Amino acid sequence: MSAVEATPEASQPKGTPPRERQWFHSAVVYQVYPRSFQDSDGDGIGDLRGVIRRLDYLATLGIDVLWLSPIYASPQDDNGYDISDYQDIDPTFGTLADFDELVEQAHARGLRIVMDLVVNHTSDEHPWFVESRSSKDSAKRDWYWWRPPREGMDAGAPGAEPTNWQSFFSGPAWELDGATGEYYLHLFSRKQPDLNWENPEVREAVYAMMRWWLDRGVDGFRMDVINMISKDLPLRDGRVLDHGPYADGSPFYICGPRIHEFLQEMHREVFAGRPEKLLTVGEMPAVTVDEAVLFTDPARHEVDMVFQFEHVGLDHGEHKWDRRPLELAELKASLGRWQAGLAEVGWNSLYWNNHDQPRAVSRFGDDGQYRVESAKLLATVLHLHRGTPYVYQGEELGMTNVPFEGAQSFLDIESVNYYRAALGVGRAPEEVLEALREGSRDNARSPVQWDASPHAGFTTGEPWFPVNPNHVDINADAELADPDSVFHHYRRLIELRHSDPVVADGDFHMLLPEHPAIYAFTRSLDTQTVLVVANFSSDDQRVDGLSDEQDWGAAELVLGNYPVPGAGLPPLRPWEARVYRRRA
Ligand code: TEU
């Protein structure tokens, strides 16, 4: 065979345009939430030197990219998602010199560093906002969204907010500023005023800051709520929510009219022409598949991939605190739709977990008897999809939700505000607490469990958030030493993506879509097909109904989470997942 015939393009069937294969198709990203990752100076809060100390651990896991949640200067109202200086490191986390060392040491191990980019809003303590709020004539007044009270109403009167929108963190999305008698918009906390992206000066300032980080050596950005930066003007009232009194403003800020224009401009101003392999991922609540195709079409130069939220919203009722049981068929329908929607153009990101979501093994698996099996099953299913998988710190250990005692155990602003607001409208404290236990972001924020010592090896001081008492059994030390651990299962999955083009680029085909307990699909590329079968239940399940069952009986078993089963396709044991390979 000549060299020309051996290229991937040459192996495409005639008439099918070759899909562009990009480096991140075979890459795995690991998210570090620095506060809770590793403390190095005994103040009880994780820091950059702590991350440096654990780089060898991450290299052993085999990941390619490390995404750092915000480490910039911040009053920490929302744990760093409220930034007061984009070009400095918060002293809690270290210094710019520590950061440079982290980049250098990461690069030395072949790891890329991706920063969190939080530019829908700043902190209210950012000098831009301080100047903006100083007077109606300030040169930066128009950098944020300032509006007078509702017509005919006095500033501060109930309902006088310029629109009726609810903030993500409970209460109204507008805050009155006494000095000028006007309100400013904050989709998140009142300490997170929204930037006005209509103003070209704002955009230029953001792009300059991004270039500064790239020049410093970072390898890309995870862009916080980036599909909220374009607002639909004029800002106006939304539909009042059933649990009122505020309204859903999302139709006026999710994927607004100029969002694609802004991202294309950002690409031109920041990324175009840079020879490095950079990574951009847009966090996009409520994004649809059709929009995601546009955002991630390489020809449009917007972002490489988006974080969508459909699959992590399936166990929500009317809102995230109104929890409902998850049906496996719905999960498959949702993820399957995203696989199909981005099959020809664009690219998926894949995740169960991040710093805003409860722990996957507690939510989608079984964190009791089958914790190890179900953590491995979830990893297998996710990492075998087509897209770039994201591992959230501790997920590779099968870390679980936190056993919260009472209301005072919750520290996250979203949980704290919701508790207060829900009690304020007369909801029973026990019921609200139950919702928080299940859904609170704090579940993801307990310190990483490194070892069985009193503070789990996270800190020598008092941890800012208590370590989960189960660290005595669930910790990195124990898992590194056990070849059958969740950690080593993740390591093998990551290795498989690196070594096997069918995992990185193969076509995805969902099987048994209606089955209530089995998640099954194939991936195929050229002459190879891989089959994944996974039992999302604590009962044995027979695998019936694959059209070519007999053929799979003789296939090679690539990976599983139980001792090797007998020949054929034997029933799946509780939370068993297997990956088979067949060559045509
Ligand atoms: O989150 C955006 C977001 O919409 C949600 O995931 C959010 O965390 C919340 O749970 C909605 O109910 C991003 C960050 O990931 C999050 O940590 C920040 O708090 C938020 O933006 C504001 O910057």
Side-chain angles (χ1 to χ4, degrees):
M1 195 186 267
S2 77
V4 173
E5 279 166 339
T7 61
E9 288 77 12
S11 62
Q12 294 276 339
K14 277 204 171 56
T16 314
R19 277 190 305 236
E20 214 182 323
R21 290 187 189 159
Q22 313 225 42
W23 69 271
F24 52 79
H25 292 188
S26 57
V28 176
V29 184
Y30 186 94
Q31 181 190 355
V32 164
Y33 193 66
R35 279 187 96 71
S36 306
F37 189 66
Q38 175 67 62
D39 181 21
S40 74
D41 59 5
D43 69 353
I45 303 176
D47 48 44
L48 291 176
R49 303 214 70 82
V51 181
I52 294 173
R53 195 196 288 174
R54 296 295 182 181
L55 284 175
D56 285 333
Y57 168 86
L58 297 178
T60 305
L61 183 58
I63 54 117
D64 305 275
V65 181
L66 197 162
W67 148 31
L68 279 180
S69 274
I71 48 168
Y72 311 92
S74 161
Q76 304 290 327
D77 184 55
D78 184 19
N79 289 358
Y81 283 88
D82 49 315
I83 297 169
S84 53
D85 185 347
Y86 287 110
Q87 288 171 229
D88 204 357
I89 306 292
D90 196 278
T92 315
F93 298 127
T95 62
L96 276 168
D98 295 331
F99 180 79
D100 290 340
E101 187 179 333
L102 171 63
V103 171
E104 196 187 311
Q105 297 234 16
H107 285 173
R109 290 165 177 82
L111 303 178
R112 294 191 168 80
I113 298 275
V114 160
M115 298 285 273
D116 222 300
L117 178 82
V118 189
V119 290
N120 173 68
H121 41 268
T122 66
S123 163
D124 65 340
E125 297 180 34
H126 193 293
W128 296 344
F129 187 74
V130 172
E131 191 180 336
S132 181
R133 87 184 317 171
S134 65
S135 94
K136 284 188 187 173
D137 311 318
S138 143
K140 289 205 166 50
R141 186 66 167 178
D142 190 43
W143 281 43
Y144 294 84
W145 296 99
W146 290 99
R147 290 289 185 273
R150 192 177 288 271
E151 217 178 319
M153 296 187 79
D154 291 333
E161 290 86 8
T163 72
N164 59 1
W165 305 352
Q166 174 161 290
S167 103
F168 281 92
F169 294 159
S170 301
W174 294 92
E175 179 74 5
L176 178 63
D177 181 54
T180 57
E182 288 192 331
Y183 290 82
Y184 64 86
L185 176 68
H186 60 90
L187 295 182
F188 293 88
S189 100
R190 61 169 67 104
K191 287 184 68 63
Q192 293 168 300
D194 280 49
L195 278 166
N196 175 11
W197 276 69
E198 296 293 318
N199 185 333
E201 289 172 13
V202 168
R203 307 203 297 274
E204 278 157 27
V206 168
Y207 304 151
M209 174 270 284
M210 293 172 76
R211 288 190 294 260
W212 185 84
W213 282 107
L214 291 180
D215 293 343
R216 214 172 177 102
V218 315
D219 304 289
F221 296 98
R222 172 270 187 191
M223 304 173 181
D224 193 66
V225 292
I226 202 71
N227 66 333
M228 302 190 191
I229 58 177
S230 164
K231 272 71 172 173
D232 192 6
L233 301 174
L235 304 182
R236 52 204 187 275
D237 283 344
R239 188 184 61 80
V240 175
L241 295 158
D242 288 351
H243 53 279
Y246 300 106
D248 174 14
S250 64
F252 308 109
Y253 57 76
I254 296 288
C255 300
R258 299 184 69 187
I259 184 64
H260 296 286
E261 175 198 334
F262 290 164
L263 288 178
Q264 287 170 11
E265 180 184 75
M266 178 191 283
H267 189 275
R268 273 197 313 276
E269 297 292 323
V270 178
F271 301 108
R274 290 195 181 251
E276 316 93 289
K277 290 178 176 172
L278 303 175
L279 183 80
T280 55
V281 48
E283 190 213 22
M284 301 201 177
V287 70
T288 61
V289 179
D290 291 347
E291 281 286 354
V293 171
L294 298 177
F295 284 122
T296 65
D297 177 352
R300 293 172 56 90
H301 301 296
E302 298 185 18
V303 289
D304 294 325
M305 61 193 94
V306 305
F307 287 136
Q308 57 94 5
F309 282 72
E310 206 178 277
H311 65 300
V312 289
L314 295 172
D315 56 2
H316 297 174
E318 204 212 328
H319 54 88
K320 80 173 263 181
W321 304 111
D322 173 19
R323 316 287 298 184
R324 66 183 193 94
L326 173 80
E327 299 288 341
L328 184 68
E330 281 185 56
L331 181 66
K332 291 187 283 186
S334 170
L335 290 174
R337 200 164 44 246
W338 281 84
Q339 290 287 305
L342 293 168
E344 297 305 324
V345 174
W347 191 248
N348 268 297
S349 72
L350 307 169
Y351 73 94
W352 295 129
N353 265 133
N354 58 41
H355 64 293
D356 295 332
Q357 301 292 331
R359 289 282 177 183
V361 70
S362 301
R363 183 182 193 180
F364 304 111
D366 172 351
D367 63 8
Q369 187 183 353
Y370 296 111
R371 184 188 65 84
V372 171
E373 291 80 359
S374 65
K376 291 178 184 173
L377 168 142
L378 289 168
T380 309
V381 168
L382 192 81
H383 284 240
L384 266 291
H385 274 68
R386 187 162 180 276
T388 301
Y390 286 70
V391 180
Y392 176 67
Q393 63 183 40
E395 178 186 335
E396 78 284 10
L397 304 173
M399 275 178 62
T400 66
N401 276 354
V402 171
F404 298 102
E405 276 172 26
Q408 75 296 339
S409 320
F410 295 91
L411 302 182
D412 172 36
I413 182 166
E414 183 190 40
S415 298
V416 171
N417 287 1
Y418 174 70
Y419 185 76
R420 199 183 308 120
L423 261 53
V425 296
R427 295 209 34 212
E430 253 323 303
E431 199 183 297
V432 179
L433 266 183
E434 219 23 65
L436 287 183
R437 284 194 179 99
E438 243 188 271
S440 172
R441 310 195 295 185
D442 277 333
N443 280 303
R445 299 178 180 185
S446 66
V448 170
Q449 298 166 201
W450 296 106
D451 60 38
S453 70
H455 295 314
F458 166 67
T459 181
T460 53
E462 256 320 293
W464 74 277
F465 193 104
V467 296
N468 193 318
N470 67 16
H471 75 275
V472 183
D473 300 312
I474 306 170
N475 63 67
D477 258 12
E479 299 206 21
L480 281 164
D482 172 8
D484 276 338
S485 64
V486 178
F487 176 90
H488 285 292
H489 193 81
Y490 269 87
R491 191 181 53 70
R492 281 189 277 272
L493 284 165
I494 295 168
E495 213 171 84
L496 193 62
R497 174 165 292 266
H498 290 162
S499 62
D500 207 327
V502 70
V503 176
D505 283 296
D507 288 333
F508 178 98
H509 180 59
M510 188 72 84
L511 303 168
L512 312 179
E514 306 297 332
H515 199 294
I518 296 183
Y519 201 126
F521 58 91
T522 57
R523 301 288 309 282
S524 39
L525 185 73
D526 305 330
T527 56
Q528 282 195 48
T529 305
V530 158
L531 169 73
V532 179
V533 281
N535 175 8
F536 274 70
S537 83
S538 304
D539 305 314
D540 286 358
Q541 299 284 345
R542 283 206 326 269
V543 188
D544 291 330
L546 305 181
S547 53
D548 51 357
E549 249 156 76
Q550 330 61 298
D551 301 341
W552 284 109
E556 170 203 355
L557 183 68
V558 182
L559 203 85
N561 60 350
Y562 270 84
V564 184
L569 257 187
L572 291 163
R573 289 159 283 187
W575 298 97
E576 180 169 12
R578 289 185 220 133
V579 181
Y580 293 97
R581 185 206 315 274
R582 200 169 72 192
R583 291 167 219 270

